[in-house]
Amino acid sequence: MASFISSPKRVVFIGAAGEMCRIAIERFAAATDISLVLADINVAAIEALAAKLPAGRATAQKLDLYNRPSLLAITKGASLVVLGAGPYAKTSEPVLSACLENKVRYLDFDDDVESTTAALALHEKSKAAGVPFFIGCGASPGMTNVMAVDAAKGIQKVDTIDVCWLVGDERPGIGKAVLEHLMHIAAGPCLTWANGKATVNEYWVETGYAPIGHHGEMLLHETAHPEPVTLPRLFPNADRIRCLGGLHPAPFNGVARGLGVAVRSQNITLDEAVSFLLNLINNPNPLEGWEAGLGKASGYLRGGDISLKELWQAITHTAGALGPWRHAIFGMLDQIKTGECSTGDVLSFLLDSARGNIGPYCAGLTVRVTGTRNGMPVAQEKRTGVSGEGSVLFKDMAAITGGACAAFMLLALEDCSELSGVFAPEDCFEPQVFYEALCRVGVPRNELANLLEDGAEAKAHL
């Protein structure tokens, strides 16, 4: 891809070994000739990544981001610091603090509510320092925030905003930080916006349907994400702003909820839950650990003959031996009770897991806005298109998050020289300009057909 930016600028990536950050690095490097510093505690991974980039473009440097002198040294003088290491509830504060002291620009794809709220509280300090901090610049939050602004276009009074995401089956390959985040958002108090004010709900309880990509209506669950925290600043008169998320295939939602509740109630530890999920996702025979507990019943399961009643009895009699599996299956059983899944759905999921089968990839982003125009009710939505193998924008979670981050980086370096303070994407990035930036980092225009306006004159520097 042709170079669009030519300058002696230096961009520092912290947590560069992560899969999402790797995509951001590769996409950004293809669209610019800016010097890159890849920093991570995993030196081997970032050295291998640097070697894949054009000669002389990137240097690799070992960094423990909790070592403040090292962090200050590596961020000093940077044109932009990108934090790609999660979970952000643990990682953002030290990096934000270092960028504030060094007075350098900062950007992340933070998807934790607590760290987002803490970053927003730094607005006056970063404004006084004369530098902008761009937070939540990934897929959700990030692209969804921009899509919300786009979907609200022309609506005179915004009543509701539903920000929706669906993540498909990405076995194997999901990292530990992502799974820790999943456990964090699967159970507990959820800060949201309801009845025109900040409200606390329970994760995963409230549900809604939304069309995702070309996959039709999907059942999704309310979850804690930053969009209901940042969007009310732009739409303070909205009655309801919520984030609805889901996993595909559907029984994964039960697994997440069951484990999340167990962690929340301290029946298992976070490490136990994450280790279990890592095994489920990456082990070609993930049921191996529970065969001893289920005994003969697991043999029936492999043949597809076990009934829900038999499965329930096996769990009841062998709960201690099952460990985290007990909570995961209880979560799926709750789905059956509420009608979210059928017995056949759950048994098929377990059978496919036992055989290592992975279904077609199903994922996407949708934002739906309702309100009034000229006194009449109106509803508008924006959504992504194709997903999975063969697509660029939404090949997987890393592609959509890393690609969106790279596009936000271009705009943060080019179009935001006058800004200082803390900004979410809806505060400063115009939708059509952002979509054009996605094209500049390698997303085919046809994959953005649902979003790009025909004949629109983008403000991006082409």
Side-chain angles (χ1 to χ4, degrees), residues 30-302:
T32 76
D33 60 5
I34 293 177
S35 296
L36 311 177
V37 177
L38 313 184
D40 200 285
I41 200 164
N42 185 347
V43 178
I46 56 175
E47 286 179 341
L49 175 57
K52 293 179 181 179
L53 300 176
R57 285 294 307 282
T59 58
Q61 186 168 333
K62 184 175 182 177
L63 174 70
D64 176 355
L65 64 82
Y66 301 107
N67 184 322
R68 186 166 180 81
S70 297
L71 185 59
L72 286 169
I74 202 170
T75 56
K76 188 175 180 61
S79 301
L80 180 67
V81 172
V82 179
L83 175 60
Y88 283 95
K90 298 179 181 178
T91 61
S92 68
E93 189 282 328
V95 182
L96 280 165
S97 176
C99 289
L100 192 61
E101 182 171 335
N102 280 333
K103 297 183 179 182
V104 297
R105 297 183 185 195
Y106 167 93
L107 183 145
D108 65 31
F109 41 88
D110 187 351
D111 52 4
D112 286 325
V113 169
E114 295 85 353
S115 47
T116 295
T117 303
L120 289 172
L122 296 175
H123 180 73
E124 293 303 323
K125 288 185 177 180
S126 58
K127 190 173 182 179
V131 292
F133 291 169
F134 304 100
I135 60 173
C137 295
S140 174
M143 187 168 178
T144 50
N145 304 59
V146 175
M147 291 166 64
V149 174
D150 202 8
K153 186 178 180 181
I155 297 181
Q156 294 166 332
K157 181 183 180 299
V158 171
D159 294 328
T160 69
I161 301 175
D162 280 348
V163 174
C164 307
W165 54 264
L166 182 74
V167 173
D169 193 342
E170 300 191 10
R171 291 179 282 181
I174 298 177
K176 183 178 178 181
V178 173
L179 298 176
E180 286 184 1
H181 174 67
L182 176 61
M183 290 296 92
H184 182 65
I185 67 173
C190 170
L191 182 61
T192 186
W193 186 263
N195 300 316
K197 61 182 180 181
T199 305
V200 176
N201 285 348
E202 169 67 22
Y203 294 145
W204 231 253
V205 174
E206 186 171 322
T207 60
Y209 286 88
I212 301 292
H214 302 304
H215 309 294
E217 296 283 329
M218 294 286 183
L219 176 65
L220 305 171
H221 301 260
E222 184 176 26
T223 188
H225 251 223
E227 293 96 328
V229 175
T230 66
L231 284 170
R233 298 173 309 133
L234 191 61
F235 303 100
N237 297 319
D239 180 67
R240 187 74 169 95
I241 300 175
R242 61 180 179 170
C243 183
L244 299 169
L247 309 174
H248 188 269
F252 263 129
N253 293 300
V255 172
R257 175 66 177 172
L259 292 172
V261 169
V263 171
R264 181 80 180 170
S265 59
Q266 299 184 334
N267 287 316
I268 59 175
T269 67
L270 176 61
D271 286 343
E272 287 175 324
V274 171
S275 295
F276 167 83
L277 288 170
L278 285 170
N279 178 67
L280 177 64
I281 291 167
N282 297 315
N283 188 341
N285 183 21
L287 302 191
E288 185 177 17
W290 68 306
E291 288 178 338
L294 285 179
K296 188 177 180 180
S298 65
Y300 292 136
L301 175 63
R302 288 184 177 278

Side-chain angles (χ1 to χ4, degrees), residues 265-354:
S265 59
Q266 299 184 334
N267 287 316
I268 59 175
T269 67
L270 176 61
D271 286 343
E272 287 175 324
V274 171
S275 295
F276 167 83
L277 288 170
L278 285 170
N279 178 67
L280 177 64
I281 291 167
N282 297 315
N283 188 341
N285 183 21
L287 302 191
E288 185 177 17
W290 68 306
E291 288 178 338
L294 285 179
K296 188 177 180 180
S298 65
Y300 292 136
L301 175 63
R302 288 184 177 278
D305 299 326
I306 190 171
S307 68
L308 177 61
K309 181 178 179 180
E310 290 169 328
L311 182 59
W312 180 272
Q313 290 173 339
I315 294 169
T316 301
H317 290 305
T318 61
L322 284 172
W325 260 117
R326 170 178 178 252
H327 304 290
I329 295 177
F330 278 160
M332 288 185 281
L333 293 177
D334 281 341
Q335 288 181 293
I336 296 173
K337 293 177 185 177
T338 60
E340 180 180 340
C341 290
S342 68
T343 303
D345 292 333
V346 171
L347 294 179
S348 295
F349 171 76
L350 291 170
L351 184 60
D352 286 339
S353 294

Side-chain angles (χ1 to χ4, degrees), residues 147 150-152 155 162 209-213 217 366-370 379-383 450-451:
M147 291 166 64
D150 202 8
I155 297 181
D162 280 348
Y209 286 88
I212 301 292
E217 296 283 329
T366 296
V367 178
R368 179 184 289 149
V369 179
T370 68
Q380 298 178 169
E381 69 179 31
K382 295 292 179 179
R383 52 175 155 156
N450 296 342
L451 301 172

